[in-house]
Amino acid sequence: MEISNPRYNTKQLRALGWLILVLLIGSANGVAQSVSEIRVIEESAISYTGFLSKARFDQRFPGQIKAGTADLYSGWYVIYKHESLSYYFGPILLESTGQDYLEQLTQTVEAAVQQRPSITNYRLKLSFEPSTSAAEGSESDSSESEDSESGYGSSPPPPPPPNIWSLMRSIFGI
């Protein structure tokens, strides 16, 4: 088979250009969607991360897929991010309990990294979610990148919600 003219005509070039554009937009949309989706898992699942394989963990703790942090219930979350994974363990009522879970998950991840040094660029942190506004969300994204250098970070906690003890103090005047 012999090709006499290796040039494409204008219609073929336009069609090729549109095809490339559609593929680029589709792949960018897919990447953006996979990055923004998070998986919310109950915090008690952290105890199982040390001995279940990823497949068995995912089967036992499917969690809920959320489109973004705005869809989360208010509370503290232990957050693990690595490549396309975004696991949010929570919501947790108390920051101190969240710190304990973060420490437990940190030990598990560090043990996994010792066995597989190829695991890099992961982030672990404790954060109160959801952010109160979109503006704070963008600010917290920039502070998260600063916190990621050490692997830890937490946003400033909101004022504590009224609890039973403050109610009793107000009733009995203690």
Side-chain angles (χ1 to χ4, degrees), residues 82-99:
H82 180 251
E83 294 175 359
S84 63
L85 294 176
S86 290
Y87 288 173
Y88 281 57
F89 295 94
I92 303 168
L93 182 62
L94 300 173
E95 181 181 16
S96 59
T97 305
Q99 289 289 349

Side-chain angles (χ1 to χ4, degrees), residues 27-70:
S27 63
N29 186 27
V31 169
Q33 187 177 15
S34 67
V35 169
S36 65
E37 283 186 350
I38 56 176
R39 186 167 154 202
V40 179
I41 304 169
E42 60 192 75
E43 67 274 10
S44 61
I46 291 173
S47 302
Y48 295 88
T49 58
F51 60 88
L52 288 179
S53 68
K54 182 178 179 335
R56 289 186 86 49
F57 180 83
D58 290 345
Q59 182 181 17
R60 184 163 184 176
F61 300 101
Q64 296 178 340
I65 302 297
K66 302 284 184 175
T69 57

Side-chain angles (χ1 to χ4, degrees), residues 35-151:
V35 169
S36 65
E37 283 186 350
I38 56 176
R39 186 167 154 202
V40 179
I41 304 169
E42 60 192 75
E43 67 274 10
S44 61
I46 291 173
S47 302
Y48 295 88
T49 58
F51 60 88
L52 288 179
S53 68
K54 182 178 179 335
R56 289 186 86 49
F57 180 83
D58 290 345
Q59 182 181 17
R60 184 163 184 176
F61 300 101
Q64 296 178 340
I65 302 297
K66 302 284 184 175
T69 57
D71 296 338
L72 296 174
Y73 293 113
S74 291
W76 290 95
Y77 288 85
V78 174
I79 301 171
Y80 172 79
K81 291 185 178 187
H82 180 251
E83 294 175 359
S84 63
L85 294 176
S86 290
Y87 288 173
Y88 281 57
F89 295 94
I92 303 168
L93 182 62
L94 300 173
E95 181 181 16
S96 59
T97 305
Q99 289 289 349
D100 292 342
Y101 278 119
L102 176 63
E103 184 179 325
Q104 184 179 4
L105 186 59
T106 300
Q107 290 173 356
T108 301
V109 170
E110 286 175 353
V113 169
Q114 285 180 352
Q115 291 178 354
R116 292 181 50 202
S118 62
I119 299 174
T120 59
N121 298 328
Y122 65 88
R123 289 184 4 203
L124 281 169
K125 70 177 199 167
L126 179 66
S127 178
F128 191 86
E129 299 293 338
S131 301
T132 55
S133 72
E136 286 183 11
S138 62
E139 290 173 12
S140 69
D141 288 345
S142 63
S143 67
E144 283 176 10
S145 61
E146 294 168 8
D147 292 339
S148 66
E149 293 174 10
S150 63

Side-chain angles (χ1 to χ4, degrees), residues 160-174:
N163 60 27
I164 189 72
W165 300 114
S166 62
L167 177 65
M168 291 182 74
R169 284 186 205 124
S170 66
I171 292 174
F172 295 109
I174 300 173

